[in-house]
Amino acid sequence: MKPRKIILDCDPGHDDAIAIILAGKNPAIDLLGITVESGNQTLEKTGRNALNLVQYLGLDIPVCLGASEPLIKQAEVCPAIHGESGLDGFDFDPLQRTYDPRHAVIFMIETLMQSQDKLTIVTTGPMTNLALALKMEPSIKDHIEEVVLMGGSIAYGNVTPAAEFNIQFDPEAAHIVFSSGCTVKMFGLDVTRKVLVLPEVVQRMHKIQTKSSELFVKLMTFFNATQKQVFGFEGGPLHDPVTIAYLIDPKVCKLDFMHCDIDISGGSSYGRTNCDQFDYLKLPKNTYVATAIDVNRYWDIIESSLRFY
Ligand code: BDR
Ligand code: CA
């Protein structure tokens, strides 16, 4: 089978880093580039983290800087989970790699418009870059195979009772993407909070003894400590790589098609993904939402990905 061509839009971030590991060398994926925005930390920091990751992993792909702020809200970054650098817990060598000069939004538009094949856009951060690209060049929609995103939740949130971080960081951007008419596949907290990096997972990945497993273990040790402090979890939920794991092996998640809209009212549910799982509203269905995950299959995908580096 031809590898799936993707652009990964992210805000690294510990779990974004593992998503990059999964996407970088798997034969099922052709990673065309990484676009970055603010989210877990400021754009300056998430951008530097992305460069450090591609340098460490030896990935020869463009890294483009994008939006430094959400469309309307003020940026509220997340040092409590990801530390001051946005990727605390690992010491990288001095940085030699540099950014691609194109703005992330321009890179997305040009790459989509010039490609013979349709491309998949994977977002593991707020969706500011993709929303801007859709507004700047609406015809990119015809070149998008699907949007595969980590974000949202059918049930409860992780930054407010109602909202998940990536969507709550830029609800208006998410609204633009969800109502764009693109095929949207949402991997939210309902599934990502089932894949916890428990001590046995860290031990299993530690045994692999590759460059990327060393990175995994150090990053997850930091991530688990902050997840314990903030949420009381014994193992942090490994959110973002679920998107790439799904592209590598779609059997990892069960998806249900439903209507979903984003709360952009500015009230206490601002940024909530209203997923009409039981079709109460009889509105047109627009989103495939992950409702179950095969946890063992997921860790197998993570393990095999760590063996590529
Ligand atoms: C999401 O928020 C970020 O902190 C993580 O990187 C992930 O993308 C989980 O809510
Ligand atoms: Ca992220």
Side-chain angles (χ1 to χ4, degrees):
M1 228 176 52
K2 268 173 82 175
R4 174 89 74 120
K5 293 185 177 176
I6 73 165
I7 295 172
L8 176 56
D9 185 63
C10 56
D11 61 337
H14 292 71
D15 50 338
D16 302 80
I18 312 305
I20 292 173
I21 294 177
L22 261 63
K25 288 202 176 163
N26 196 293
I29 309 274
D30 182 2
L31 179 58
L32 302 178
I34 292 177
T35 52
V36 184
E37 62 218 318
S38 66
N40 286 324
Q41 260 298 353
T42 61
L43 179 65
E44 193 205 344
K45 293 179 181 179
T46 55
R48 184 181 310 124
N49 294 339
L51 280 184
N52 272 324
L53 287 163
V54 296
Q55 176 173 291
Y56 181 77
L57 297 169
L59 297 174
D60 187 18
I61 45 167
V63 175
C64 303
L65 289 174
S68 58
E69 288 181 12
L71 298 182
I72 292 175
K73 279 183 65 193
Q74 293 293 311
E76 290 170 74
V77 299
C78 191
I81 296 290
H82 298 276
E84 270 315 312
S85 73
L87 197 57
D88 281 11
F90 192 84
D91 290 327
F92 292 98
D93 288 341
L95 198 48
Q96 313 287 338
R97 288 286 298 266
T98 54
Y99 295 113
D100 184 285
R102 288 167 287 183
H103 189 280
V105 175
I106 301 297
F107 173 80
M108 264 188 197
I109 293 172
E110 284 181 1
T111 310
L112 281 160
M113 299 305 275
Q114 288 163 12
S115 173
Q116 303 287 323
D117 305 310
K118 286 191 172 190
L119 308 182
T120 295
I121 309 294
V122 179
T123 66
T124 61
M127 285 186 279
T128 320
N129 286 336
L130 179 54
L132 286 168
L134 282 163
K135 285 293 179 192
M136 199 162 156
E137 183 50 75
S139 64
I140 60 170
K141 207 164 62 182
D142 302 330
H143 300 257
I144 296 178
E145 177 82 39
E146 52 191 25
V147 176
V148 173
L149 71 107
M150 190 281 133
S153 172
I154 302 173
Y156 38 78
N158 62 355
V159 276
T160 71
E164 179 278 333
F165 178 82
N166 288 339
I167 307 291
Q168 203 263 353
F169 191 90
D170 194 345
E172 286 74 18
H175 168 72
I176 289 168
V177 175
F178 276 69
S179 58
S180 66
C182 290
T183 299
V184 175
K185 293 185 172 169
M186 171 184 135
F187 296 82
L189 300 177
D190 316 283
V191 290
T192 67
R193 276 189 163 169
K194 298 219 162 74
V195 282
L196 305 177
V197 189
L198 295 167
E200 57 263 33
V201 173
V202 178
Q203 282 155 23
R204 173 177 169 181
M205 304 309 165
H206 178 67
K207 285 196 191 122
I208 301 171
Q209 294 289 316
T210 58
K211 233 182 141 172
S212 59
S213 75
E214 187 193 341
L215 181 65
F216 180 95
V217 168
K218 289 194 173 148
L219 289 181
M220 291 303 108
T221 301
F222 181 89
F223 188 61
N224 278 349
T226 58
Q227 290 281 346
K228 172 91 177 157
Q229 270 161 23
V230 175
F231 296 108
F233 293 153
E234 285 311 322
L238 195 51
H239 307 285
D240 291 339
V242 175
T243 53
I244 308 290
Y246 168 77
L247 295 177
I248 293 170
D249 179 0
K251 289 202 195 97
V252 77
C253 282
K254 174 177 177 288
L255 304 184
D256 292 321
F257 196 36
M258 63 190 80
H259 176 81
C260 178
D261 59 54
I262 311 297
D263 187 322
I264 48 169
S265 66
S268 60
S269 295
Y270 192 26
R272 176 174 167 77
T273 45
N274 287 315
C275 296
D276 192 3
Q277 194 173 12
F278 299 104
D279 200 20
Y280 298 117
L281 303 175
K282 306 284 177 233
L283 290 170
K285 299 182 178 184
N286 61 344
T287 310
Y288 294 86
V289 180
T291 53
I293 186 161
D294 181 336
V295 176
N296 292 332
R297 197 179 275 267
Y298 183 64
W299 295 124
D300 288 348
I301 296 169
I302 300 285
E303 176 175 344
S304 61
S305 303
L306 297 177
R307 292 187 185 281
F308 282 120
Y309 301 82

